[in-house]
Structure formats: structure tokens, C-alpha cells
Amino acid sequence: MARPDDEEGTAVAAAHPPTKGYLLVPGDAPAGKVNAEPQNGPKAGFLALNGVPPDSPAAALGALGRPQSPLAPEEETQVRLLPKGPGEETPCAEDPRMSRTALSPRRFVVLLIFSLYSLVNAFQWIQYSIISNVFEGFYGVSSLHVDWLSMVYMLAYVPLIFPATWLLDTRGLRLTALLGSGLNCLGAWVKCGSVQQHLFWVTMLGQCLCSVAQVFILGLPSRIASVWFGPKEVSTACATAVLGNQLGTAVGFLLPPVLVPNTQNNTDLLACNISTMFYGTSAVATLLFILAIIAFKEKPQYPPSQAQAAIQDSSPEEYSYEKSIRNLFKNIPFVLLLITYGIMTGAFYSVSTLLNQMILTYYKGEEVNAGRIGLTLVVAGMVGSILCGLWLDYTKTYKQTTLIVYILSFVGMVIFTFTLDLGYIIIVFITGGVLGFFMTGYLPLGFEFAVEITYPESEGTSSGLLNAAAQIFGILFTLAQGMLTSNYSPKAGNIFLCVWMFVGIVLTALIKSDLRRHNINIGITNGDIKAVPVDSPADQEAKTIIMSKQAESAI
């Protein structure tokens, strides 16, 4: 769909994306004319030049024998041509139907600012739960009240996801990002006025504002990655954007037990410590909101990939938000992914919310170590996220990687469940780290897999629906696991999650892998052709074809 441009400028050449099932074939037609031929069969998407099959020796010799113009290497294309300097055109710049693509240095600033204010939002989500017993005593409320300070994040997301994704698709990335950062800042300041024992409702109000901010944050990683980053780095960029949120959860596990120790016998000191945490959070959130206003842009001057160019150059009249939603729910692989992502992420939310209660059941007085175990869980997951992102950028094996990580997350959950009560807290550190590495590492995999199988639908809409499913499952799992933990034991609650994660494995195995975005980037429009690892023989063949096309256009 078309997106409103920003002050950086407009693309120099309009792209005309290939009609579904057809590719532009430069043959013997005069300059400026091209033919469209249907692409069928196993070689669909590879072009025959002047009637000579691209994989024949004649094609290779003919390409070598023609006058060669210097290759103007395209930045960050899926076929991995030679690196190019900034500002140069793509190898197919001679074809007016191909958009110029380039990478903007600003992309790193945008990614950094988003990751940081996402970090602060995630910190505010978990800052109550990890010291739930402290806040129960300070405000004189039940554990369920404190659990709702976390669950309100999940509850707010479900009804607000549709207006939030509509706003993202119709008003753009910058406005959505500023709303997320601004509401996050406002909620943090409201909490600063709640540091009195009778003002629990004020801290709940501030948390509600932060939960609304989350709606404008969680769906942005895949959109930022697609709009600002090239094909060879898009999955890593998405993983980095998700990493900011994970790091915020890690800091939320680590800092509150240190900043607000359990000093309920001294209410004034406890109030002072809580106030210090709230004001520090507000100051950081305010700084990041100002930086977002200054540096966050709608999109780069030139699209970073041909897949993104095809979306940006389509007519705004062709896009309908309602139709996009219908298309997503008609997409069976996406619906399966919606359920499996919800199960996995909902289980992670539930474990994170109830971690303090689980640890203190078996290890009395270990609030600080409970926070450290949570930190271990999330930091290990951050490492897993980055490694998964790098792996996807190199191999494009989305389904295989997603399924393997899902299975390993299930194994980690089983091990965590049956070793939690052994009495050795060091074992909990180790099993928590293993669980976090795979369970948290799964989050960016789901985002990127969804973008691939739903292209050209909006990345924000697909990510938003995934997060909505995660919030629904998160609320249900947290309530169910909390009841099982209170009435029986933490082991019963964890076994409940293990059963659901096994269901998720079965459903993930049923997902059909149709990597539409990847196929567009390498010039394949037939959905039956499977994506293969980069630098594989098929990618080498595609590389030869593009080089031959440029040689022919130079004649």
C-alpha cells in the first residue's frame, strides 16, 4: 500500500510490480518494450534471454562475449551481488519498471530509539510482578490485584489492536511511534503521584496508560524492519527491535528488587524507594519521547528492497484495511501461526508474571534471586532472538527454524517444571536460562514468519494480530496457572502450560511455508517454488540471470 512520504524526499523511479503469476521478460523486443509471460513449472521465475535458457552454456558464453558495462551493485538484495557504494543504482536501473533501492544510515537511529522506549514500556509491565509481595503489603491489596497490574497490559491490547493497526496503516509509522512513546511517558509520570498507601487506583491508572502505549509498540518491529532494512538484514533488525522489549523485561526483573527491597516494617523508607523507581523511569521515558520526536521518520528516501518498493509504489486506492483483515483470516497458514504464536507467547507472559510466586513457594525470602532468575531467562532469550534473526537472514528456513525452536521450548519447559522443587536454586538459574533462550527467542521468529506468508499485507496488521492472540492466551494462561499454583502447586500450573505448548508443536508442523516476500525479492512469483538458503545453487542461478539481463541491456 502507499505510505505518506516524509521530508527526506521521494524515490527517483516508480516501480511497476509484476502481475501475479507473470514476470517482465526482456527478450528481442525493442527498447522500452517488454513482454509478460506466465511463469509455471519448476523453473518459474527464471527468465530466458533471447530464447536461450539461462542455465545453458550458450547463455553463459553469450553473456561473457557481449560488451560489459560495469556492474552497479545493488544494496542489500537477496541475490547477494557485489557490495556497492551508497547512492549507486540497482543492477536493473536501466529498466524503468525496477525501483531504485538503497539503505539509509538513519535506519540504525530509528531502530535504537524504538528499542529503547520499548524497553521502558516492558520494564513498567513487569516492575510490579517481580516484587508482588512488596506492593501487596504497601497498598494493602491481594496478590490478584497486583497480578492485574501486569495483566492489564494483555487486557488493553485486545480491544485496541484494531484501531491501532488501522492508525498505523492509514496515518503511518511516525505518528504511531510517537503515540506509543508519548503515552508511555505519560503513564510513567502518573505513577509518580501514586506513592501513598491509599492510592492504588492511581498506580493502576498509570499502568493502564502504559498498557495503551504498548498497543502502539508491540506491532512495530516487523514494520520498522521491512520499511527501513534490506533483505539480508531484515530478520536481524526485527529481532533487534524485539530485543529492546525483552531487555526491558530483563531490567524489570533485575532493578525493582534492588531499588525497592522488602522493608515493610518501615513504610516511609519503602515509599521513598518506590518513588525513586517511579521518578527514574519517568525521566528516562521523557528523554526518549523527545528523541523520538526529533529523529523518528516515516520512511527512508529510497525503499530498501524490491518487495518494499512494490508495496510503496502501489496505488493508495488499492488498499483496504477491512479487506486486509479478511485476507489474513482467510490465510490458513497465518491462522495456524496465530494460534501457535499465541500459545507460546502467552505461556511466556504467564511464567514471567507468576515467576516470583513460583520461586518463593520453594525458596523463601529469595526475592532478589527470583529477579535474577527472571533476568537470566530474558537475557538468554535475547541471545536466542539475535541468533535466530541472523540464522533466518542467512537461510530463510522460516518454518523449520520455528518448529525446532518450538520443540526445544517445550523441552525446556518440561525440564524447568520438574526441577523447580529440587531445592537447589542454581538448577533453577540453569533451567530458566535454557527455557528463556528458546521461548523468548521464538518471538521474532513468529513476526518474520507471519510477514513472509502474508506478504503483501501490512506487517503492522499481521504483527498486531499475533500480539492480540498472545495477550488473550496470556490472560487465560496467567489466570489458570495462578489458580493451579495457589490451589495445588507451581508444578501443576507448569504442567498445564506444557500440555498447551505440545498442542502448539502439532499446529506449527501443519503450517505451509509459502515465503512470498522472499520470492519477490529474488524475482520468483510462483508460490509453489520453495525458498532455499542464500548462496545456494538456486540463488547462484538467479544471480547469473540478473547479470545476464544487465549485459543484454547494455547492447
Side-chain angles (χ1 to χ4, degrees):
M1 81 212 75
R3 311 268 201 277
D5 205 351
D6 66 351
E7 65 269 24
E8 289 193 51
T10 57
V12 295
H16 299 266
T19 306
K20 184 176 180 181
Y22 292 82
L23 286 177
L24 301 176
V25 183
D28 295 325
K33 296 182 179 180
V34 293
N35 301 317
E37 296 180 359
Q39 302 300 306
N40 298 304
K43 291 289 184 178
F46 296 109
L47 308 179
L49 305 176
N50 289 335
V52 181
D55 54 354
S56 67
L61 291 175
L64 292 173
R66 298 189 188 100
Q68 298 286 326
S69 59
L71 284 176
E74 177 183 1
E75 282 190 282
E76 304 302 324
T77 61
Q78 196 55 48
V79 291
R80 290 180 179 260
L81 296 180
L82 296 174
K84 75 166 193 172
E88 293 180 310
E89 297 183 351
T90 67
C92 298
E94 295 88 345
D95 187 349
R97 290 166 178 78
M98 297 295 288
S99 281
R100 174 180 179 178
T101 62
L103 295 179
S104 168
R106 185 186 289 270
R107 69 193 189 278
F108 297 112
V109 177
V110 171
L111 183 62
L112 176 63
I113 292 174
F114 170 79
S115 297
L116 289 176
Y117 76 71
S118 178
L119 180 156
V120 175
N121 184 259
F123 171 81
Q124 296 192 82
W125 164 57
I126 205 67
Q127 66 181 156
Y128 294 99
S129 296
I130 199 59
I131 50 173
S132 57
N133 57 320
V134 175
F135 281 103
E136 287 171 31
F138 180 76
Y139 286 115
V141 296
S142 68
S143 60
L144 182 61
H145 283 82
V146 178
D147 288 345
W148 271 110
L149 287 170
S150 171
M151 289 190 292
V152 70
Y153 264 59
M154 310 174 202
L155 183 65
Y157 198 94
V158 178
L160 295 178
I161 181 55
F162 291 106
T165 52
W166 175 85
L167 187 74
L168 175 62
D169 289 344
T170 58
R171 296 295 182 266
L173 182 62
R174 174 177 163 81
L175 177 61
T176 306
L178 293 182
L179 277 173
S181 181
L183 287 171
N184 191 52
C185 175
L186 179 61
W189 281 109
V190 169
K191 291 181 190 179
C192 293
S194 70
V195 192
Q196 295 184 41
Q197 291 183 286
H198 66 286
L199 294 180
F200 178 80
W201 69 271
V202 177
T203 208
M204 176 62 80
L205 175 61
Q207 193 73 339
C208 288
L209 289 172
C210 293
S211 69
V212 175
Q214 178 211 214
V215 182
F216 299 100
I217 294 174
L218 287 188
L220 292 191
S222 56
R223 170 64 69 86
I224 291 174
S226 295
V227 170
W228 284 91
F229 289 82
K232 288 192 296 184
E233 58 188 12
V234 63
S235 295
T236 305
C238 181
T240 304
V242 173
L243 180 116
N245 199 267
Q246 297 170 359
L247 182 59
T249 305
V251 176
F253 280 127
L254 178 66
L255 283 186
V258 176
L259 295 175
V260 189
N262 192 355
T263 58
Q264 296 189 29
N265 56 337
N266 188 339
T267 305
D268 291 337
L269 177 60
L270 184 58
C272 180
N273 291 334
I274 293 174
S275 181
T276 299
M277 181 173 68
F278 284 167
Y279 274 102
T281 305
S282 302
V284 175
T286 302
L287 174 62
L288 292 172
F289 179 49
I290 295 171
L291 291 176
I293 294 174
I294 295 172
F296 216 100
K297 302 300 179 183
E298 179 65 32
K299 64 181 181 180
Q301 182 176 3
Y302 304 116
S305 66
Q306 289 300 331
Q308 190 59 213
I311 293 176
Q312 291 183 7
D313 291 325
S314 62
S315 172
E317 290 76 16
E318 296 176 3
Y319 176 74
S320 166
Y321 178 73
E322 294 78 8
K323 183 179 179 181
S324 178
I325 294 291
R326 288 197 301 270
N327 290 341
L328 288 174
F329 280 106
K330 290 178 182 177
N331 188 327
I332 301 302
F334 175 73
V335 173
L336 290 173
L337 181 62
L338 195 66
I339 298 171
T340 59
Y341 185 90
I343 292 172
M344 174 69 82
T345 312
F348 169 71
Y349 289 163
S350 183
V351 170
S352 300
T353 301
L354 301 174
L355 183 64
N356 179 265
Q357 297 178 34
M358 287 191 283
I359 299 299
L360 294 184
T361 299
Y362 298 114
Y363 305 92
K364 303 295 184 182
E366 294 285 359
E367 290 92 350
V368 173
N369 272 331
R372 290 171 179 168
I373 291 170
L375 174 67
T376 302
L377 187 147
V378 178
V379 170
M382 290 161 53
V383 176
S385 293
I386 293 298
L387 292 178
C388 288
L390 291 169
W391 177 256
L392 287 186
D393 276 331
Y394 182 73
T395 66
K396 303 302 179 184
T397 53
Y398 289 85
K399 178 179 176 179
Q400 297 92 319
T401 304
T402 301
L403 182 58
I404 290 172
V405 171
Y406 216 119
I407 293 172
L408 293 175
S409 298
F410 169 75
V411 173
M413 189 67 200
V414 171
I415 295 173
F416 178 79
T417 299
F418 291 97
T419 58
L420 184 61
D421 60 349
L422 294 182
Y424 299 98
I425 199 166
I426 186 64
I427 295 179
V428 184
F429 272 94
I430 296 172
T431 56
V434 173
L435 177 64
F437 182 87
F438 296 111
M439 183 178 272
T440 315
Y442 172 84
L443 303 183
L445 292 179
F447 281 159
E448 282 296 284
F449 196 14
V451 173
E452 288 290 340
I453 63 179
T454 61
Y455 178 89
E457 304 300 338
S458 168
E459 305 92 346
T461 305
S462 62
S463 297
L465 290 174
L466 289 180
N467 282 318
Q471 311 305 326
I472 293 172
F473 278 98
I475 293 174
L476 297 177
F477 286 173
T478 301
L479 291 174
Q481 187 184 11
M483 292 177 60
L484 290 170
T485 299
S486 301
N487 297 335
Y488 299 98
S489 69
K491 180 179 290 186
N494 287 332
I495 290 175
F496 168 80
L497 294 184
C498 290
V499 172
W500 276 99
M501 290 174 68
F502 181 78
V503 173
I505 292 173
V506 175
L507 295 179
T508 300
L510 298 176
I511 298 175
K512 179 182 178 183
S513 182
D514 180 13
L515 307 186
R516 301 176 181 181
R517 181 180 65 177
H518 173 67
N519 290 338
I520 286 293
N521 280 327
I522 64 173
I524 299 175
T525 57
N526 190 324
D528 293 330
I529 295 181
K530 297 285 191 289
V532 290
V534 178
D535 288 334
S536 67
D539 271 320
Q540 294 292 346
E541 185 176 12
K543 185 187 304 183
T544 303
I545 301 311
I546 290 185
M547 294 173 67
S548 300
K549 283 175 65 181
Q550 184 184 16
E552 175 144 341
S553 65
I555 297 177

